[in-house]
Amino acid sequence: MDERTIVCMPGDGIGKTVFPEAIRVLEAVGFKANYVYADIGWEFWCKEGNALPQRTLDLLEKYRIGLFGAITSKPKTEAEKELIPELKGKGYVYYSPIVGMRQHFNLDLCIRPCQTFNGNPLNFIKKSDAGPIEPNIDVVIFRQNTECLYAGVEWTNPPAIVRSALETHSKMKAFKNILSEDLAISCRIFSRPACQRIIREAFKYASKYSYKSVTLCEKPNVVRETSGMMREEAKKIAKEFTEIQLWETNIDAQMMWLNKNPEDYGVIVSSNLFGDIVSDAFAGLVGGLGFANSANIGETCAVFEPTHGSAPKYETLTPSIVNPIAMILSACLMLEYLGELERAKRIKDAIAKVVVDSKVLTYDMLRLTGGPDVIRQGAASTEQMTDAIIAHL
Ligand code: NAI
Ligand code: MG
C-alpha cells in the first residue's frame, strides 16, 4: 500500500501533550505514514490574525487526512487584546479553527463513539435488584456537523429587512413590541441533503457493524420544521435498511433515559446542537473527556480529534498528567477510516487491557483533582499511560 500522509495539528495546550502520544502508538502498531506538521491555534491568531492559516488548509486539501489535538479559543474582546500590536484594530475577528475546518471542507459527518471499557472506574453504574451493575454501553453518535445553530446565521439587533421578513410569520406577533436592539436571533437551518447524508451514514454504519437500532434524537413535536425534516428523511431512509429499527427520542427525554437504560441504544443520529449535547452526555457515562473521541468526515477530507479542549492549566506540568486515551482513540478512528481495521482493533484491545488491569490510571480515572500532586497520589503520567498501552500491543 502507498504510504499515506497525515496532516498533524497538535494545536494548543494539552493538544501538544497528547498528540505525540498518539503518534507513538501509531508507530508501535506498525502503521506506516508520513507525518507533516501544520500550524493551527492561538499562536497563529496572535501573530497572523488567523488561527487556521491558508497553508494549513492547503496541506489538508492536498493530503485529505488530518489528526488534530485541541485549540484554545477565547471570547472576542480577549482575543483582540492578544493580537500583536501591528494587527490590533485592523478588523481581525477570531474564528475557531476547528469550526473553520468543518465548514471549509464541509466535514458534515461527526462520529462520536461512546463505548464502555470494562473496569474503568469512571463507568456509569446503576442500581439493580442484584446490587450495583455497570451496563455495557456501546453507542455511536452521528452528529450533523455543519448546519443547525452552528451555521452562524445570527444577529443581535437584526437589520430591518431581516426583521420585516420574519414578521411575515404569524408567530412573530409575540415580539412586536420588542425593540430590534433587544432582539437576538440565531437561525436553526437544516438542508434536506445534509439531513439525508447524516441519516444514511448512520444507517450504513449500523448495518456494517450489526447494531439493531438507529435512534433519531430530535424534537419534532416542538421544532416542527427542522427536526420535522430530519424525521421525515429518517423514516424514508429506514425503509432501505429493513434489518435495523428506527427509534425516535426527544432530546430532553433522551437526557433522562440515558441515565436509565443507556445500554439499550446503538447508533444515534442527531442534528448539530442536539448531537453535541447527546454525545457529551453519553461520553460522561463511559469515562468523560479523557476518553471522548471523534471523527469529522466530509466527502473529500476527514479530521480526527479528541473532544476535549486545550486544558491550558495542565499544559506546563512535568510530567504531564492528562489522559492520552481520547487522542489515541481518535487515531483509531482515523485508522478505521483508512481501512486499517486490524491495527485499530489492536490498539483498542490494548487500551481495554490497560483499563481492566487497573494498574496504570491517569488522575481523571482516579477521580483526583488535577494538579502537580496527582503523581504522588498514585496517578500515572500521560507517558506512562501510553507506555502501558504500547506494552499491550
Ligand atoms: P477542556 O476540555 O480543555 O478542559 C476541561 C477539563 O476537562 C480540564 O480542566 C480537565 O480537568 C479535563 N480534561 C480535559 N481533557 C482531559 C484529558 N485528556 N485528560 C484528563 N482530563 C482532561 O475544556 P475547557 O477548560 O472548557 O476549555 C479550555 C480551552 O479549550 C478553551 O480555550 C476552549 O475554548 C478550548 N476548547 C477547545 C476544543 C477543541 O479544540 N476541540 C473543545 C473544547 C474546548
Ligand atoms: Mg462539545
Side-chain angles (χ1 to χ4, degrees):
M1 194 181 290
D2 286 347
E3 214 165 83
R4 296 185 180 86
T5 299
I6 310 296
V7 180
C8 298
M9 297 169 281
D12 299 312
I14 64 161
K16 290 191 199 130
T17 312
V18 293
F19 195 91
E21 304 303 301
I23 302 297
R24 281 213 285 146
V25 174
L26 286 171
E27 286 178 344
V29 83
F31 174 67
K32 296 268 177 289
N34 296 313
Y35 297 104
V36 294
Y37 282 79
D39 298 336
I40 195 166
W42 198 248
E43 182 189 338
F44 303 96
W45 159 252
C46 298
K47 286 199 307 208
E48 303 176 22
N50 184 359
L52 179 60
Q54 184 59 42
R55 57 188 179 279
T56 298
L57 293 173
D58 291 344
L59 284 173
L60 282 166
E61 188 84 51
K62 184 165 175 197
Y63 298 115
R64 292 158 191 272
I65 305 282
L67 191 58
F68 170 62
I71 47 87
T72 296
S73 287
K74 294 184 191 177
K76 208 169 141 187
T77 42
E78 272 180 62
E80 163 83 25
K81 274 192 213 140
E82 293 193 32
L83 281 171
I84 55 167
E86 300 88 296
L87 299 182
K88 279 201 183 111
K90 299 265 165 68
Y92 287 95
V93 181
Y94 179 82
Y95 291 107
S96 156
I98 180 65
V99 177
M101 273 191 283
R102 288 174 188 155
Q103 277 163 359
H104 184 91
F105 293 105
N106 193 26
L107 306 176
D108 62 330
L109 310 174
C110 177
I111 306 176
R112 294 186 165 178
C114 297
Q115 285 145 344
T116 304
F117 283 103
N118 283 332
N120 186 347
L122 302 175
N123 284 344
F124 172 67
I125 292 170
K126 69 176 182 182
K127 281 186 191 165
S128 80
D129 294 341
I133 51 167
E134 280 183 33
N136 188 60
I137 298 164
D138 179 3
V139 165
V140 182
I141 287 132
F142 278 67
R143 164 191 176 195
Q144 206 294 327
N145 217 17
T146 47
E147 301 191 338
C148 189
L149 287 164
Y150 292 63
V153 182
E154 49 183 3
W155 300 266
T156 300
N157 193 0
I161 186 172
V162 171
R163 179 141 197 187
S164 49
L166 287 171
E167 278 167 357
T168 61
H169 197 292
S170 62
K171 299 278 186 199
M172 274 301 285
K173 284 201 187 87
F175 302 97
K176 73 174 191 302
N177 295 326
I178 309 286
L179 296 172
S180 282
E181 64 244 46
D182 294 332
L183 266 187
I185 299 171
S186 301
C187 298
R188 189 175 200 249
I189 305 178
F190 286 26
S191 72
R192 199 178 301 277
C195 294
Q196 289 167 339
R197 208 169 110 78
I198 190 77
I199 294 164
R200 181 164 284 109
E201 290 301 321
F203 271 96
K204 281 190 346 209
Y205 186 96
S207 171
K208 182 171 172 191
Y209 293 102
S210 305
Y211 286 91
K212 67 173 197 278
S213 64
V214 169
T215 303
L216 176 71
C217 179
E218 279 296 317
K219 186 89 183 173
N221 55 336
V222 177
V223 203
R224 289 168 187 278
E225 301 305 325
T226 43
S227 291
M229 180 181 279
M230 280 280 263
R231 179 163 191 252
E232 200 180 305
E233 294 309 317
K235 287 188 155 186
K236 281 189 225 154
I237 291 167
K239 295 204 176 96
E240 300 166 24
F241 297 85
T242 47
E243 76 284 14
I244 298 164
Q245 297 168 28
L246 171 64
W247 295 354
E248 292 180 50
T249 56
N250 285 335
I251 179 70
D252 47 347
Q254 179 74 71
M255 289 298 108
M256 182 175 62
W257 289 329
L258 66 78
N259 287 304
K260 205 171 129 229
N261 58 340
E263 67 277 24
D264 289 348
Y265 296 93
V267 172
I268 295 185
V269 60
S270 194
S271 57
N272 208 340
L273 178 61
F274 293 168
D276 198 12
I277 294 170
V278 76
S279 61
D280 272 16
F282 269 100
L285 304 179
V286 295
L289 287 176
F291 287 81
N293 56 104
S294 71
N296 302 279
I297 299 176
E299 290 188 88
T300 59
C301 179
V303 175
F304 303 85
E305 53 156 343
T307 305
H308 65 71
S310 63
K313 61 184 174 188
Y314 301 142
E315 179 184 359
T316 54
L317 290 185
T318 320
S320 55
I321 62 162
V322 291
N323 191 343
I325 291 178
M327 183 76 233
I328 295 168
L329 287 171
S330 306
C332 287
L333 282 174
M334 179 184 80
L335 291 179
E336 284 164 4
Y337 176 81
L338 293 171
E340 294 268 2
L341 303 186
E342 180 68 36
R343 289 196 168 94
K345 184 171 180 315
R346 276 178 62 205
I347 298 174
K348 285 198 272 188
D349 288 349
I351 295 172
K353 285 200 193 103
V354 173
V355 175
V356 83
D357 281 355
S358 293
K359 289 190 204 110
V360 180
L361 302 168
T362 46
Y363 83 94
D364 52 317
M365 297 170 78
L366 290 168
R367 298 181 189 276
L368 296 172
T369 304
D373 204 34
V374 299
I375 304 286
R376 200 182 47 76
Q377 295 177 68
S381 69
T382 307
E383 289 79 7
Q384 285 169 334
M385 174 54 89
T386 312
D387 290 343
I389 294 166
I390 290 173
H392 278 291
L393 279 175

